[in-house]
Amino acid sequence: MADTLSPEALDLIFREARSYNGWLDKPVSDEQIHAIYELLKMAPTSANMQPARIVWAKSAAAKDKLAALAMDGNKAKLTSAPVPYTHLTAPPPLPA
């Protein structure tokens, strides 16, 4: 197959990838959010519900609303992160 990923790319994406539980204390621009969304919007989601519905929380009020729905251990993380987000999935409506 001509279009295979290099071992280094596979390491970066799969073998050495980690979920980070922290962030830099730097603002996130709207341009960065749009670029991230363009990468995520058609990625696999729970129950294959593409396109992904993503809620980005930039304001303190939005972060508080999102944190109110989270488990207690995650509330402080959500309110202190530069731009927390969540994926939403909902099954399509059933036919009547």
Side-chain angles (χ1 to χ4, degrees):
M1 174 184 263
D3 293 336
T4 60
L5 293 174
S6 70
E8 294 80 14
L10 292 170
D11 285 344
L12 179 67
I13 297 170
F14 297 110
R15 294 186 282 254
E16 296 176 13
R18 299 293 175 264
S19 295
Y20 291 96
N21 196 13
W23 46 85
L24 300 175
D25 187 20
K26 294 169 47 173
V28 178
S29 70
D30 287 345
E31 292 78 19
Q32 289 171 309
I33 291 172
H34 288 287
I36 293 166
Y37 175 75
E38 287 301 316
L39 290 172
L40 292 176
K41 70 181 178 183
M42 294 305 285
T45 58
S46 174
N48 231 10
M49 302 300 299
Q50 288 95 350
R53 286 99 172 145
I54 302 171
V55 174
W56 307 86
K58 288 184 79 172
S59 71
K63 292 177 190 182
D64 288 342
K65 282 183 181 180
L66 186 57
L69 302 171
M71 293 177 12
D72 288 341
N74 292 325
K75 292 178 188 294
K77 294 175 192 175
L78 289 169
T79 56
S80 64
V83 184
Y85 71 96
T86 188
H87 287 216
L88 304 174
T89 58
L94 297 173

